[in-house]
Amino acid sequence: MLPRLHWKFLFTCALLTLGNISNAAADLRTLLTKSPLVIDGTNLRAPMAVREFYKQRNYAAVWRDNEPRLQQLHAAITSADAHGLTPANYHQAKLKTAQKDNLELLATDAWLALAATIIGGQLNPVTIEPDWTAMRRERNLVAHLEQAIATNTIAEAINELEPNAPTYRALKLALKTLREQAAVDPTPPIAAGAALKQGMTSGRIPALRQKLAARGYDAGDLQSNLYDATLVETVKAYQRTAGLEDDGIVGAVTSRLLNMTNRERERMLIINMERWRWLPEDLGERHVRVNIADFSLEARYRGVVEQSHPVIVGRDYRRTPVFSDRIRYMIFNPWWETPPSIARKDKLPDFQKNPEKVRAMGFDVYDQEGNQLNPDNIDWRAYRTNYFPLRIRQRPGPLNALGQVKIMFPNSHNVYLHDTASRELFQKTERAFSSGCVRVKNALELAKWVLKENPESDLKTMASALDSGKETRINVSKPVPVHILYFTVVMGTNGQPMYLNDLYQRDERISLALDDTKS
């Protein structure tokens, strides 16, 4: 048994220790009352979360007296590079020199800011795509950090937050692989000049052949100056993978994509990884996914593509917006209520040139009061594209612009999926011909897929409706999520990245915004 003096000494030491802890917590709490929260000359990136984290811990420190934990944090920050992020944005340098409470707060802010970026992206998508409506991924990051501390998984807990999507992981791997390659493309660039076509002889053709060979295509004799028939077919194959019109002519766009440097490809991978971080955690067990830049639609169930459809998207001046919604109903044998802008800009000039088209194409015409007019009595030349007060509707039938079905997910953009009477356009590779809506090849097959969870009677109703030629609506019993997306890098069937033409020139805006985020 210890003498009474020893017990008194130990009790005093314990009180002093408790006093020191209390003082340290008080100092931390005082620092956190600053507004704005500037630590060691640096604005914290997640000040509200940092305050909440320490409030829940009663201001107990986490990092400053735990070197192994700090090393894990350094590893997590360094690995941010694998996600296409900039480690310097997460206090990488200052964490090596900061002391005590400054180190403590900078470390917590770095972890929370990096976690927030991995789960939600560096940018707010609405600032890039004003039409963005997809739900963002969310997580209680304060609780997630507490769990990481308790389980000693500081770095692992960050990576757990990356998008749970095979394509994201594939892009991440492609980025790693690309960075391991030579920074400088050893093949010479294709020099600027006139479009290269079959039968031409040019000193620029060996460079074309070498560029194609470097991408895994059989380009024949790499020193040949002749643009022969075999090279034409090789160029066509490349153009198809890049989402270009496969005409076998090497013009400015084909040359630009072939001349793309590894640094430019790296940038495209980073931009598309950012786009993936904007998407919801779950796109839906059953969902429809359109990639505008790839002119493609996929109907997916539990991660498996059950149907694929080529699509036609908006022209450059009538771009299809990026957004998400749910398919709620379908209309078979639809009337086409021609949007006023299309009526003014497209149909009015047609009718002025050939008034017979009104009847031949199955249009009805109405005045502002809703009275149906006789098109033979209309002087179409009395109207202009800035003054056209008439309403036009196209009857169901083989010439109807919407074809046999429109698949509806009501939205502010008035965009939907639909069939088309102009099916020959699907033979093109680059398919930007619509006025903003998405035309789908074999749209009736997609409609059947959407109705798969509806009662069987609805499929019979669909069949009878198509036979009758009458407009018929069928509601979707379980609305199907639909995502209209824009990805300029996709994974090919061989597992390799395919770098697509940036149809709407949207990558540059993201690239500039990402540059602005750098420390």
Side-chain angles (χ1 to χ4, degrees):
M1 185 173 180
L2 287 171
R4 182 176 299 176
L5 181 62
H6 287 185
W7 280 112
K8 186 174 181 181
F9 173 77
L10 291 174
F11 181 68
T12 303
C13 289
L15 285 177
L16 287 172
T17 302
L18 288 172
N20 288 339
I21 292 172
S22 178
N23 289 340
D27 290 343
L28 209 52
R29 182 167 49 192
T30 300
L31 268 177
L32 288 167
T33 60
K34 291 182 179 181
S35 185
L37 193 46
V38 180
I39 302 299
D40 200 11
T42 300
N43 286 303
L44 296 196
R45 295 184 57 183
M48 293 179 63
V50 171
R51 288 188 177 104
E52 180 61 25
F53 175 73
Y54 284 103
K55 181 179 179 182
Q56 290 188 13
R57 293 182 57 81
N58 200 26
Y59 302 96
V62 172
W63 311 97
R64 65 182 186 186
D65 296 318
N66 194 318
E67 187 61 27
R69 189 176 290 160
L70 267 175
Q71 290 305 316
Q72 288 187 55
L73 177 61
H74 282 296
I77 293 171
T78 300
S79 69
D81 188 60
H83 295 274
L85 305 176
T86 305
N89 285 354
Y90 305 97
H91 313 314
Q92 187 181 45
K94 288 211 167 180
L95 283 173
K96 295 175 181 177
T97 58
Q99 300 294 318
K100 297 185 178 179
D101 289 342
N102 286 349
L103 170 65
E104 180 69 30
L105 297 184
L106 287 170
T108 298
D109 185 65
W111 194 97
L112 290 169
L114 177 55
T117 302
I118 296 290
I119 201 167
Q122 301 179 78
L123 308 173
N124 181 348
V126 177
T127 64
I128 305 297
E129 302 283 1
D131 303 314
W132 191 269
T133 53
M135 296 293 292
R136 306 290 299 280
R137 293 194 301 146
E138 293 183 353
R139 188 73 63 89
N140 183 335
L141 295 180
V142 168
H144 196 61
L145 175 54
E146 281 286 10
Q147 178 69 14
I149 291 166
T151 56
N152 197 33
T153 55
I154 298 301
E156 296 90 333
I158 291 283
N159 288 324
E160 285 173 6
L161 299 172
E162 72 177 36
N164 183 26
T167 303
Y168 183 87
R169 293 191 290 275
L171 292 173
K172 188 177 171 185
L173 177 60
L175 181 63
K176 178 178 182 292
T177 302
L178 190 67
R179 285 171 169 171
E180 291 170 351
Q181 297 173 4
V184 179
D185 189 339
T187 59
I190 303 166
L196 297 172
K197 303 177 183 180
Q198 184 174 1
M200 292 178 66
T201 300
S202 171
R204 296 160 56 216
I205 290 175
L208 167 62
R209 291 179 180 275
Q210 291 174 49
K211 289 292 185 187
L212 289 166
R215 283 153 185 74
Y217 293 88
D218 182 3
D221 180 0
L222 300 186
Q223 301 307 317
S224 173
N225 288 342
L226 176 63
Y227 201 131
D228 56 27
T230 302
L231 183 57
V232 170
E233 293 307 313
T234 301
V235 168
K236 285 182 177 180
Y238 169 75
Q239 288 173 325
R240 285 191 289 273
T241 65
L244 300 174
E245 190 57 44
D246 57 342
D247 55 10
I249 298 172
V250 180
V253 177
T254 301
S255 290
R256 178 173 56 78
L257 288 178
L258 282 168
N259 280 336
M260 190 183 297
T261 64
N262 279 354
R263 186 174 295 279
E264 289 170 319
R265 291 190 189 90
E266 178 180 333
R267 196 64 171 163
M268 287 183 72
L269 290 168
I270 290 170
I271 287 166
N272 283 274
M273 290 173 74
E274 174 71 3
R275 287 187 173 118
W276 272 104
R277 289 191 286 265
W278 296 345
L279 289 175
E281 191 81 60
D282 181 11
L283 295 177
E285 183 178 58
R286 294 183 78 238
H287 71 268
V288 171
R289 185 187 303 181
V290 174
N291 184 11
I292 297 168
D294 198 23
F295 310 104
S296 67
L297 178 151
E298 295 175 340
R300 289 175 167 253
Y301 177 60
R302 293 183 177 175
V304 176
V305 178
E306 294 192 328
Q307 289 185 194
S308 297
H309 298 259
V311 300
I312 294 168
V313 299
R315 300 178 181 94
D316 188 51
Y317 60 92
R318 289 180 180 169
R319 298 179 176 185
T320 299
V322 173
F323 68 104
S324 294
D325 218 298
R326 289 179 178 270
I327 297 171
R328 301 183 185 278
Y329 65 94
M330 288 181 283
I331 296 178
F332 297 92
N333 304 316
W335 282 76
W336 182 37
E337 187 73 38
T338 312
S341 61
I342 297 176
R344 291 194 316 269
K345 296 176 183 178
D346 295 349
K347 297 306 170 187
L348 176 59
D350 274 355
F351 298 161
Q352 288 172 336
K353 291 176 186 175
N354 184 4
E356 296 299 319
K357 270 194 170 182
V358 182
R359 289 191 184 279
M361 298 296 292
F363 282 97
D364 289 347
V365 186
Y366 302 85
D367 63 18
Q368 289 178 302
E369 284 72 43
N371 301 306
Q372 188 168 352
L373 305 178
N374 184 340
D376 298 335
N377 298 331
I378 297 173
D379 179 7
W380 296 102
R381 297 196 175 278
Y383 302 103
R384 298 287 181 271
T385 54
N386 61 352
Y387 174 70
F388 186 61
L390 305 182
R391 170 186 165 212
I392 60 174
R393 300 178 76 211
Q394 191 179 29
R395 294 188 294 276
L399 298 178
N400 186 281
L402 304 181
Q404 293 181 287
V405 62
K406 61 177 182 177
I407 300 172
M408 303 299 293
F409 37 102
N411 56 80
S412 60
H413 318 296
N414 197 28
V415 165
Y416 45 86
L417 308 175
H418 66 87
D419 189 16
T420 177
S422 304
R423 294 182 177 90
E424 71 282 357
L425 293 176
F426 288 112
Q427 296 174 14
K428 302 283 188 179
T429 303
E430 197 168 8
R431 297 183 295 272
F433 304 115
S434 85
S435 297
C437 287
V438 179
R439 305 178 198 172
V440 182
K441 186 176 183 180
N442 300 325
L444 289 177
E445 292 305 310
L446 177 62
K448 291 176 186 176
W449 183 88
V450 172
L451 290 175
K452 192 175 286 187
E453 295 190 355
N454 270 41
E456 191 174 333
S457 59
D458 284 339
L459 287 175
K460 294 178 180 177
T461 300
M462 169 183 160
S464 60
L466 291 171
D467 289 340
S468 72
K470 294 181 180 178
E471 184 175 89
T472 304
R473 170 172 167 158
I474 297 179
N475 292 329
V476 178
S477 59
K478 187 177 179 181
V480 176
V482 57
H483 307 281
I484 314 294
L485 306 172
Y486 190 89
F487 287 107
T488 52
V489 181
V490 297
M491 305 312 295
T493 54
N494 60 357
Q496 296 303 306
M498 294 165 54
Y499 300 89
L500 306 177
N501 181 38
D502 183 9
L503 178 68
Y504 293 159
Q505 300 85 50
R506 285 175 165 163
D507 281 4
E508 183 63 17
R509 191 171 179 186
I510 296 178
S511 182
L512 292 173
L514 290 176
D515 286 342
D516 287 343
T517 67
K518 292 182 179 178
S519 296

